[in-house]
Amino acid sequence: MNFKSELSKNPVNLITPEGYKKLIDEFTVLSKIERPAVVQEVSAAAKQGDRSENAEYQYGKKRLREIDRRLRFLDKRISLARIVNPQEQVGDKILFGATVTLKNIDGKKVIYQIVGEDEANLSMKKVSWISPLGKELLNKKVGEIAVVEAPAGLREYEIVDFIFK
């Protein structure tokens, strides 16, 4: 499947099973633990009287708005999620979930996994499938060159290998 065209078809949220679980876990913690605790704190603070000068009440209401905003965001991301298990991917082209070994112009090897937007983390060598590097790698084969425009200028990478794990 050509994932480059997925973005233009609909607002799909490609995600690995691990990334999906993290979204579900965060949603569960916020909705079942944190939000009820903050509601209880706000209720207790409201009973203390004048709400306009009640810092606990004001902070609690602010925290409640932040939690609700994050819950709406997570709900949308989860509802748009299309789980793609990297272990089920096959073929001779780089697809979503692939772990790709690249060699830069200096001969240094780097390894990245192509993941969903919500799980991208450069320090963990996970790049989003819609990032410049992720887009450039999709559907390429071993031996091909990926040219990516980075803040420091154009970067070239030779695709050395990739696996689906």
Side-chain angles (χ1 to χ4, degrees):
M1 172 178 262
N2 183 344
F3 288 111
K4 284 185 179 180
S5 64
E6 279 291 330
L7 190 59
S8 61
K9 288 181 184 176
N10 55 35
V12 68
N13 179 24
L14 295 180
I15 194 164
T16 65
E18 177 186 354
Y20 185 76
K21 182 184 181 315
K22 286 181 182 178
L23 289 181
I24 294 293
D25 290 349
E26 182 182 357
F27 186 89
T28 302
V29 167
L30 285 174
S31 63
K32 303 287 186 203
I33 298 169
E34 286 191 40
R35 190 176 194 289
V38 173
V39 166
Q40 189 174 13
E41 290 170 12
V42 168
S43 178
K47 291 178 184 175
Q48 294 176 5
D50 186 8
R51 295 176 185 175
S52 65
E53 294 183 18
N54 186 332
E56 291 158 354
Y57 177 81
Q58 297 295 330
Y59 174 76
K61 291 294 283 185
K62 180 181 178 199
R63 179 68 182 128
L64 200 53
R65 286 190 300 273
E66 291 168 355
I67 290 171
D68 287 343
R69 187 177 312 116
R70 183 67 181 166
L71 284 170
R72 284 191 302 275
F73 172 80
L74 290 170
D75 184 53
K76 184 173 183 176
R77 300 301 293 166
I78 290 167
S79 70
L80 294 173
R82 175 164 169 229
I83 302 168
V84 178
N85 189 337
Q87 296 173 350
E88 296 173 1
Q89 299 283 59
V90 293
D92 63 346
K93 291 182 180 180
I94 296 171
L95 302 173
F96 180 87
T99 299
V100 185
T101 303
L102 305 170
K103 184 169 55 173
N104 67 17
I105 199 159
D106 300 327
K108 181 181 174 190
K109 289 185 179 179
V110 291
I111 300 173
Y112 294 107
Q113 182 183 16
I114 301 172
V115 297
E117 288 179 87
D118 300 309
E119 50 193 331
N121 183 332
L122 201 51
S123 67
M124 295 178 65
K125 304 294 186 188
K126 294 184 176 200
V127 296
S128 167
W129 69 285
I130 63 169
S131 69
L133 179 59
K135 283 181 185 178
E136 183 63 24
L137 291 174
L138 288 175
N139 294 311
K140 292 229 185 292
K141 296 181 177 186
V142 171
E144 290 187 311
I145 302 295
V147 180
V148 180
E149 188 168 342
L154 288 180
R155 301 278 188 228
E156 288 187 12
Y157 298 97
E158 178 184 350
I159 298 165
V160 176
D161 194 18
F162 67 91
I163 58 171
F164 299 110
K165 63 177 183 176

